[in-house]
Amino acid sequence: MTIPLLTLSHQQPFWKFRTHRVIANTTESTRNLCKSTLYLFLALATPFIAYRCFNSFTMFWSSSSSSSQPATKIDAGSLRRQRINSSKLYQPDASSKVPVIYSSYYDISFLGIEKLHPFDSSKWGRICRFLMSEGYLEKKSIVDPLEASREDLLVVHTEAYLNSLNNSVNVARITEVPPVAMLPNWLVQMKVLYPFRRQVGGTVLAAKLAMDRGWAINVGGGFHHCSGGRGGGFCAYADISLCIHFAFVRLNISRVMIIDLDAHQGNGHEMDFGNDERVYILDMYNPGIYPFDMTARNYINQKVEVVTGTATVDYLDQLDKALAVAGSNFAPELIVYNAGTDILDGDPLGGLKNCPFNDGPGEWRAA
Protein backbone atom coordinates (compact mmCIF):
# COMPACT_ATOMS: atom_id res chain seq x y z
CA MET A 1 0.00 0.00 0.00
CA THR A 2 2.89 2.31 0.62
CA ILE A 3 4.47 1.86 -2.82
CA PRO A 4 1.55 3.31 -4.81
CA LEU A 5 1.50 6.24 -2.47
CA LEU A 6 5.21 6.79 -3.06
CA THR A 7 4.60 6.48 -6.78
CA LEU A 8 1.94 9.16 -6.69
CA SER A 9 4.28 11.31 -4.70
CA HIS A 10 6.89 11.06 -7.42
CA GLN A 11 4.31 12.24 -10.00
CA GLN A 12 3.28 15.24 -7.85
CA PRO A 13 4.45 18.03 -10.23
CA PHE A 14 2.38 16.53 -13.05
CA TRP A 15 -0.78 16.26 -10.92
CA LYS A 16 -0.29 19.75 -9.60
CA PHE A 17 -0.16 21.05 -13.14
CA ARG A 18 -3.36 19.25 -14.17
CA THR A 19 -5.12 20.33 -11.00
CA HIS A 20 -4.16 23.92 -11.66
CA ARG A 21 -5.57 23.70 -15.16
CA VAL A 22 -8.90 22.36 -13.88
CA ILE A 23 -9.09 25.06 -11.24
CA ALA A 24 -8.18 27.74 -13.78
CA ASN A 25 -10.85 26.60 -16.21
CA THR A 26 -13.43 26.31 -13.44
CA THR A 27 -12.54 29.76 -12.12
CA GLU A 28 -12.92 31.28 -15.59
CA SER A 29 -16.35 29.67 -16.07
CA THR A 30 -17.46 30.81 -12.65
CA ARG A 31 -16.20 34.32 -13.39
CA ASN A 32 -18.19 34.44 -16.65
CA LEU A 33 -21.29 33.13 -14.92
CA CYS A 34 -20.97 35.73 -12.18
CA LYS A 35 -20.49 38.49 -14.74
CA SER A 36 -23.62 37.40 -16.63
CA THR A 37 -25.59 37.25 -13.39
CA LEU A 38 -24.33 40.69 -12.41
CA TYR A 39 -25.29 42.17 -15.79
CA LEU A 40 -28.78 40.64 -15.51
CA PHE A 41 -29.18 41.97 -11.99
CA LEU A 42 -28.10 45.46 -13.05
CA ALA A 43 -30.48 45.40 -16.01
CA LEU A 44 -33.40 44.51 -13.74
CA ALA A 45 -32.42 46.62 -10.76
CA THR A 46 -31.32 49.85 -12.45
CA PRO A 47 -34.86 51.22 -13.10
CA PHE A 48 -35.86 50.34 -9.52
CA ILE A 49 -32.73 51.99 -8.07
CA ALA A 50 -33.30 55.08 -10.22
CA TYR A 51 -36.92 55.27 -9.08
CA ARG A 52 -35.94 54.94 -5.41
CA CYS A 53 -33.18 57.53 -5.79
CA PHE A 54 -35.59 59.94 -7.44
CA ASN A 55 -38.10 59.46 -4.61
CA SER A 56 -35.38 59.90 -1.98
CA PHE A 57 -34.09 63.05 -3.68
CA THR A 58 -37.63 64.43 -3.96
CA MET A 59 -38.28 63.76 -0.27
CA PHE A 60 -34.91 65.25 0.68
CA TRP A 61 -35.50 68.34 -1.45
CA SER A 62 -38.99 68.72 -0.01
CA SER A 63 -37.75 68.39 3.57
CA SER A 64 -34.82 70.74 2.88
CA SER A 65 -37.11 73.33 1.36
CA SER A 66 -39.57 73.09 4.21
CA SER A 67 -36.81 73.27 6.82
CA SER A 68 -35.48 76.45 5.24
CA GLN A 69 -38.86 78.08 5.68
CA PRO A 70 -39.84 79.67 8.98
CA ALA A 71 -41.52 77.09 11.18
CA THR A 72 -45.22 77.88 11.08
CA LYS A 73 -47.93 75.58 12.34
CA ILE A 74 -50.74 75.11 9.81
CA ASP A 75 -53.95 73.46 10.90
CA ALA A 76 -55.24 70.51 8.90
CA GLY A 77 -58.11 72.43 7.32
CA SER A 78 -55.88 75.24 6.07
CA LEU A 79 -53.32 72.79 4.73
CA ARG A 80 -56.04 70.92 2.86
CA ARG A 81 -57.34 74.14 1.28
CA GLN A 82 -53.79 75.15 0.36
CA ARG A 83 -53.22 71.84 -1.42
CA ILE A 84 -56.54 72.03 -3.25
CA ASN A 85 -56.02 75.61 -4.40
CA SER A 86 -52.53 74.82 -5.71
CA SER A 87 -53.63 71.70 -7.57
CA LYS A 88 -53.55 71.46 -11.37
CA LEU A 89 -56.30 68.84 -11.68
CA TYR A 90 -58.85 71.44 -12.86
CA GLN A 91 -56.53 72.72 -15.60
CA PRO A 92 -57.38 70.57 -18.65
CA ASP A 93 -59.30 72.71 -21.16
CA ALA A 94 -62.60 71.03 -22.06
CA SER A 95 -64.37 74.05 -23.57
CA SER A 96 -64.50 72.51 -27.05
CA LYS A 97 -65.01 68.94 -25.92
CA VAL A 98 -67.80 66.70 -24.65
CA PRO A 99 -67.65 66.34 -20.84
CA VAL A 100 -66.62 62.71 -21.10
CA ILE A 101 -63.29 62.00 -19.40
CA TYR A 102 -60.98 59.14 -20.32
CA SER A 103 -57.33 58.36 -20.92
CA SER A 104 -55.80 55.30 -22.54
CA TYR A 105 -53.66 55.13 -19.39
CA TYR A 106 -56.75 54.06 -17.43
CA ASP A 107 -56.52 50.48 -18.66
CA ILE A 108 -54.43 48.08 -16.57
CA SER A 109 -52.66 45.31 -18.42
CA PHE A 110 -49.42 43.51 -17.55
CA LEU A 111 -48.47 39.99 -18.66
CA GLY A 112 -52.02 38.77 -18.05
CA ILE A 113 -51.73 39.18 -14.27
CA GLU A 114 -54.76 41.49 -14.29
CA LYS A 115 -56.90 38.53 -15.41
CA LEU A 116 -56.33 36.82 -12.06
CA HIS A 117 -59.05 39.08 -10.62
CA PRO A 118 -62.65 38.99 -11.87
CA PHE A 119 -62.70 42.79 -12.03
CA ASP A 120 -62.27 43.84 -15.63
CA SER A 121 -59.42 46.34 -15.58
CA SER A 122 -59.56 47.03 -19.32
CA LYS A 123 -63.28 47.75 -19.62
CA TRP A 124 -62.81 51.53 -19.70
CA GLY A 125 -61.06 51.48 -23.05
CA ARG A 126 -63.59 49.06 -24.52
CA ILE A 127 -66.44 51.34 -23.45
CA CYS A 128 -64.94 54.31 -25.26
CA ARG A 129 -64.08 52.28 -28.35
CA PHE A 130 -67.66 51.03 -28.49
CA LEU A 131 -69.07 54.55 -28.18
CA MET A 132 -66.75 55.74 -30.94
CA SER A 133 -67.55 52.80 -33.21
CA GLU A 134 -71.27 53.51 -32.81
CA GLY A 135 -70.78 57.18 -33.63
CA TYR A 136 -71.74 58.51 -30.19
CA LEU A 137 -68.30 59.88 -29.43
CA GLU A 138 -65.22 61.15 -31.27
CA LYS A 139 -61.74 60.57 -29.96
CA LYS A 140 -60.81 64.23 -30.28
CA SER A 141 -63.81 65.25 -28.18
CA ILE A 142 -62.78 63.20 -25.12
CA VAL A 143 -61.24 65.07 -22.19
CA ASP A 144 -57.83 63.73 -21.11
CA PRO A 145 -57.27 64.19 -17.34
CA LEU A 146 -54.06 64.77 -15.42
CA GLU A 147 -52.53 62.37 -12.93
CA ALA A 148 -53.27 63.12 -9.28
CA SER A 149 -50.01 64.11 -7.59
CA ARG A 150 -48.95 63.16 -4.09
CA GLU A 151 -49.98 66.62 -2.85
CA ASP A 152 -53.40 66.09 -4.43
CA LEU A 153 -53.77 62.72 -2.75
CA LEU A 154 -52.77 64.15 0.63
CA VAL A 155 -55.98 66.21 0.57
CA VAL A 156 -57.66 63.03 1.84
CA HIS A 157 -55.02 60.36 2.37
CA THR A 158 -52.54 60.11 5.22
CA GLU A 159 -48.79 60.11 4.67
CA ALA A 160 -48.63 56.67 6.26
CA TYR A 161 -51.15 55.21 3.83
CA LEU A 162 -49.47 56.65 0.74
CA ASN A 163 -46.10 55.39 1.99
CA SER A 164 -47.59 51.92 2.46
CA LEU A 165 -48.22 51.77 -1.29
CA ASN A 166 -44.44 51.72 -1.79
CA ASN A 167 -44.65 48.10 -0.62
CA SER A 168 -45.88 45.77 -3.36
CA VAL A 169 -47.32 43.39 -0.77
CA ASN A 170 -49.78 46.07 0.34
CA VAL A 171 -50.79 46.81 -3.25
CA ALA A 172 -51.33 43.09 -3.82
CA ARG A 173 -53.69 43.01 -0.85
CA ILE A 174 -55.64 46.02 -2.10
CA THR A 175 -55.96 44.75 -5.67
CA GLU A 176 -56.53 41.18 -4.48
CA VAL A 177 -53.99 39.89 -7.02
CA PRO A 178 -51.32 37.96 -5.00
CA PRO A 179 -48.60 37.85 -7.73
CA VAL A 180 -48.37 41.65 -7.56
CA ALA A 181 -46.55 41.17 -4.25
CA MET A 182 -43.59 39.63 -6.08
CA LEU A 183 -43.15 42.52 -8.53
CA PRO A 184 -40.67 45.35 -7.85
CA ASN A 185 -42.56 48.38 -6.62
CA TRP A 186 -41.39 50.65 -9.44
CA LEU A 187 -43.19 48.32 -11.82
CA VAL A 188 -46.31 48.24 -9.64
CA GLN A 189 -46.29 52.04 -9.52
CA MET A 190 -46.08 52.23 -13.32
CA LYS A 191 -48.49 49.45 -14.28
CA VAL A 192 -51.07 49.59 -11.47
CA LEU A 193 -50.98 52.73 -9.36
CA TYR A 194 -50.30 55.23 -12.13
CA PRO A 195 -53.49 54.21 -14.00
CA PHE A 196 -55.39 54.57 -10.71
CA ARG A 197 -53.97 58.05 -10.12
CA ARG A 198 -54.92 59.08 -13.64
CA GLN A 199 -58.50 57.96 -12.96
CA VAL A 200 -58.50 59.94 -9.73
CA GLY A 201 -57.65 63.04 -11.76
CA GLY A 202 -60.61 62.26 -14.00
CA THR A 203 -63.07 61.99 -11.11
CA VAL A 204 -61.89 65.26 -9.57
CA LEU A 205 -62.18 67.03 -12.93
CA ALA A 206 -65.66 65.58 -13.55
CA ALA A 207 -67.11 67.63 -10.68
CA LYS A 208 -65.85 70.87 -12.21
CA LEU A 209 -67.19 69.98 -15.66
CA ALA A 210 -70.54 68.96 -14.19
CA MET A 211 -70.89 72.34 -12.51
CA ASP A 212 -69.83 74.12 -15.73
CA ARG A 213 -71.84 72.05 -18.21
CA GLY A 214 -74.60 70.43 -16.18
CA TRP A 215 -73.20 66.91 -16.37
CA ALA A 216 -69.94 65.01 -16.80
CA ILE A 217 -68.82 61.40 -16.94
CA ASN A 218 -65.51 59.93 -15.85
CA VAL A 219 -65.37 56.59 -17.63
CA GLY A 220 -63.06 55.25 -14.90
CA GLY A 221 -62.79 55.80 -11.16
CA GLY A 222 -65.46 55.14 -8.57
CA PHE A 223 -63.04 53.57 -6.08
CA HIS A 224 -65.62 53.53 -3.31
CA HIS A 225 -63.91 50.93 -1.07
CA CYS A 226 -60.96 53.22 -0.36
CA SER A 227 -60.97 55.75 2.48
CA GLY A 228 -58.32 58.20 3.56
CA GLY A 229 -56.38 55.64 5.55
CA ARG A 230 -57.19 52.29 3.98
CA GLY A 231 -57.59 50.71 0.56
CA GLY A 232 -59.25 47.48 -0.52
CA GLY A 233 -61.49 45.81 -3.06
CA PHE A 234 -59.35 46.91 -6.04
CA CYS A 235 -59.55 50.52 -4.82
CA ALA A 236 -56.20 52.15 -3.99
CA TYR A 237 -57.21 55.83 -3.89
CA ALA A 238 -60.34 57.55 -2.54
CA ASP A 239 -61.29 59.43 -5.70
CA ILE A 240 -64.89 60.12 -4.63
CA SER A 241 -63.79 61.71 -1.37
CA LEU A 242 -61.12 63.73 -3.18
CA CYS A 243 -63.62 64.91 -5.79
CA ILE A 244 -65.99 66.20 -3.11
CA HIS A 245 -63.33 67.97 -1.04
CA PHE A 246 -62.05 69.70 -4.18
CA ALA A 247 -65.61 70.77 -5.00
CA PHE A 248 -66.12 72.23 -1.52
CA VAL A 249 -63.10 74.48 -1.91
CA ARG A 250 -62.77 75.26 -5.63
CA LEU A 251 -66.45 75.22 -6.64
CA ASN A 252 -67.70 76.92 -3.49
CA ILE A 253 -70.48 74.44 -2.78
CA SER A 254 -71.59 72.93 0.52
CA ARG A 255 -74.13 70.20 -0.29
CA VAL A 256 -73.20 67.02 -2.15
CA MET A 257 -75.21 63.84 -2.58
CA ILE A 258 -73.55 60.50 -3.30
CA ILE A 259 -75.78 58.02 -5.13
CA ASP A 260 -73.85 54.77 -5.06
CA LEU A 261 -75.45 52.08 -7.22
CA ASP A 262 -72.50 49.71 -7.34
CA ALA A 263 -73.60 46.28 -6.12
CA HIS A 264 -71.07 46.52 -3.29
CA GLN A 265 -71.40 48.81 -0.30
CA GLY A 266 -69.33 52.01 -0.68
CA ASN A 267 -67.62 51.73 2.67
CA GLY A 268 -64.71 54.01 1.73
CA HIS A 269 -66.55 57.29 1.20
CA GLU A 270 -68.91 56.35 4.04
CA MET A 271 -66.00 56.26 6.48
CA ASP A 272 -64.64 59.56 5.11
CA PHE A 273 -67.92 61.48 5.37
CA GLY A 274 -69.58 59.65 8.26
CA ASN A 275 -69.99 62.77 10.38
CA ASP A 276 -70.12 65.38 7.62
CA GLU A 277 -73.58 66.91 7.27
CA ARG A 278 -72.61 68.46 3.95
CA VAL A 279 -72.70 65.01 2.33
CA TYR A 280 -75.80 62.85 1.94
CA ILE A 281 -75.18 59.19 1.04
CA LEU A 282 -77.71 56.98 -0.73
CA ASP A 283 -76.20 53.53 -1.06
CA MET A 284 -78.06 50.70 -2.82
CA TYR A 285 -76.09 47.48 -2.40
CA ASN A 286 -76.19 43.74 -1.91
CA PRO A 287 -75.57 43.11 1.82
CA GLY A 288 -74.56 39.50 1.16
CA ILE A 289 -71.31 40.31 -0.61
CA TYR A 290 -68.05 42.16 0.15
CA PRO A 291 -67.16 44.28 2.15
CA PHE A 292 -69.48 43.47 5.10
CA ASP A 293 -68.45 46.75 6.75
CA MET A 294 -70.96 47.18 9.56
CA THR A 295 -69.24 50.25 10.96
CA ALA A 296 -69.48 52.10 7.65
CA ARG A 297 -73.14 51.12 7.28
CA ASN A 298 -73.90 53.25 10.31
CA TYR A 299 -72.84 56.31 8.30
CA ILE A 300 -75.21 55.75 5.37
CA ASN A 301 -77.98 58.35 5.36
CA GLN A 302 -80.23 56.17 3.24
CA LYS A 303 -79.43 52.53 2.63
CA VAL A 304 -81.32 50.27 0.26
CA GLU A 305 -80.33 46.63 0.61
CA VAL A 306 -81.09 44.46 -2.41
CA VAL A 307 -80.59 40.75 -1.88
CA THR A 308 -78.87 38.34 -4.23
CA GLY A 309 -81.06 37.50 -7.21
CA THR A 310 -82.96 40.82 -7.27
CA ALA A 311 -84.18 41.36 -10.85
CA THR A 312 -84.72 44.49 -12.91
CA VAL A 313 -88.33 45.39 -12.17
CA ASP A 314 -87.93 45.02 -8.41
CA TYR A 315 -84.58 46.82 -8.46
CA LEU A 316 -85.86 49.83 -10.37
CA ASP A 317 -88.99 50.04 -8.22
CA GLN A 318 -86.86 50.23 -5.06
CA LEU A 319 -84.55 52.75 -6.73
CA ASP A 320 -87.40 55.04 -7.80
CA LYS A 321 -88.77 55.13 -4.26
CA ALA A 322 -85.31 55.73 -2.78
CA LEU A 323 -84.59 58.64 -5.12
CA ALA A 324 -87.91 60.26 -4.21
CA VAL A 325 -87.06 60.03 -0.51
CA ALA A 326 -83.53 61.34 -1.05
CA GLY A 327 -84.85 64.31 -3.02
CA SER A 328 -87.20 65.25 -0.21
CA ASN A 329 -84.52 64.85 2.48
CA PHE A 330 -81.66 66.73 0.87
CA ALA A 331 -81.16 69.46 -1.73
CA PRO A 332 -77.73 68.85 -3.32
CA GLU A 333 -75.74 71.29 -5.40
CA LEU A 334 -73.75 68.41 -6.86
CA ILE A 335 -74.59 64.72 -7.27
CA VAL A 336 -71.83 62.11 -7.48
CA TYR A 337 -73.32 59.03 -9.09
CA ASN A 338 -71.22 55.88 -8.83
CA ALA A 339 -72.49 53.64 -11.62
CA GLY A 340 -71.32 50.11 -10.95
CA THR A 341 -71.81 47.69 -13.84
CA ASP A 342 -71.76 44.78 -11.38
CA ILE A 343 -75.52 45.12 -10.84
CA LEU A 344 -76.07 43.55 -14.27
CA ASP A 345 -77.08 39.94 -14.78
CA GLY A 346 -74.07 37.70 -15.35
CA ASP A 347 -71.58 39.80 -13.41
CA PRO A 348 -69.36 37.41 -11.37
CA LEU A 349 -69.32 39.65 -8.29
CA GLY A 350 -72.63 41.46 -7.83
CA GLY A 351 -75.13 38.62 -7.55
CA LEU A 352 -77.97 40.69 -9.04
CA LYS A 353 -80.12 39.99 -12.12
CA ASN A 354 -80.58 43.36 -13.79
CA CYS A 355 -80.74 43.75 -17.55
CA PRO A 356 -81.96 46.50 -19.94
CA PHE A 357 -85.62 46.26 -20.85
CA ASN A 358 -88.17 48.15 -22.90
CA ASP A 359 -90.75 50.27 -21.06
CA GLY A 360 -92.69 51.10 -24.17
CA PRO A 361 -92.30 52.31 -27.75
CA GLY A 362 -89.07 54.27 -28.08
CA GLU A 363 -88.35 54.24 -24.33
CA TRP A 364 -85.53 52.26 -22.81
CA ARG A 365 -84.48 52.04 -19.20
CA ALA A 366 -81.41 50.44 -17.78
CA ALA A 367 -80.62 49.49 -14.22
Side-chain angles (χ1 to χ4, degrees), residues 16-286:
K16 271 189 175 182
F17 175 70
R18 293 190 63 184
T19 303
H20 287 171
R21 286 186 62 192
V22 171
I23 292 174
N25 289 339
T26 304
T27 303
E28 184 65 25
S29 300
T30 304
R31 185 182 296 113
N32 290 335
L33 178 61
C34 290
K35 286 168 66 178
S36 300
T37 304
L38 178 61
Y39 292 151
L40 178 61
F41 171 78
L42 290 174
L44 294 174
T46 298
F48 172 72
I49 294 170
Y51 176 80
R52 296 293 296 189
C53 289
F54 175 76
N55 274 2
S56 300
F57 175 76
T58 303
M59 293 177 65
F60 171 76
W61 178 261
S62 176
S63 61
S64 299
S65 299
S66 59
S67 62
S68 64
Q69 299 293 330
T72 56
K73 187 175 181 180
I74 304 177
D75 66 274
S78 298
L79 184 57
R80 171 178 285 171
R81 286 190 295 273
Q82 185 180 39
R83 284 176 169 142
I84 292 173
N85 284 322
S86 62
S87 174
K88 298 179 180 179
L89 293 181
Y90 277 4
Q91 282 188 3
D93 181 19
S95 57
S96 61
K97 299 182 179 182
V98 177
V100 174
I101 305 166
Y102 167 75
S103 168
S104 59
Y105 291 107
Y106 279 16
D107 300 313
I108 298 174
S109 178
F110 181 66
L111 300 177
I113 289 178
E114 71 282 355
K115 295 179 181 178
L116 297 177
H117 194 285
F119 184 89
D120 184 356
S121 60
S122 297
K123 63 183 177 183
W124 305 292
R126 288 205 306 277
I127 290 171
C128 285
R129 287 192 294 272
F130 170 78
L131 293 174
M132 288 187 285
S133 68
E134 294 294 313
Y136 296 115
L137 196 62
E138 293 182 357
K139 186 175 182 179
K140 63 181 181 181
S141 67
I142 298 174
V143 181
D144 193 1
L146 299 176
E147 173 196 7
S149 69
R150 184 179 179 87
E151 284 298 302
D152 294 327
L153 298 171
L154 284 170
V155 167
V156 165
H157 291 292
T158 63
E159 289 271 8
Y161 175 72
L162 293 182
N163 289 339
S164 75
L165 299 180
N166 292 329
N167 186 329
S168 297
V169 173
N170 293 328
V171 181
R173 176 188 62 79
I174 291 169
T175 58
E176 301 173 349
V177 181
V180 170
M182 297 182 289
L183 298 176
N185 191 255
W186 65 267
L187 193 58
V188 173
Q189 293 285 337
M190 180 171 59
K191 292 293 186 178
V192 180
L193 296 179
Y194 175 76
F196 283 159
R197 291 194 294 268
R198 200 69 178 256
Q199 293 185 50
V200 170
T203 302
V204 172
L205 179 60
K208 176 183 183 295
L209 297 186
M211 294 297 290
D212 291 343
R213 313 277 285 275
W215 65 277
I217 297 173
N218 181 25
V219 177
F223 304 130
H224 65 161
H225 294 308
C226 186
S227 62
R230 182 178 175 81
F234 213 80
C235 302
Y237 301 112
D239 66 321
I240 294 177
S241 300
L242 284 159
C243 164
I244 292 173
H245 278 293
F246 269 71
F248 284 153
V249 175
R250 296 281 287 268
L251 304 179
N252 195 29
I253 63 175
S254 59
R255 298 188 310 278
V256 177
M257 178 183 290
I258 299 174
I259 299 177
D260 195 338
L261 299 190
D262 189 282
H264 300 83
Q265 175 199 348
N267 58 321
H269 58 71
E270 288 158 8
M271 294 301 295
D272 284 340
F273 295 111
N275 297 310
D276 195 328
E277 295 182 354
R278 299 172 297 175
V279 179
Y280 184 97
I281 300 174
L282 164 59
D283 195 350
M284 191 169 181
Y285 62 93
N286 182 347

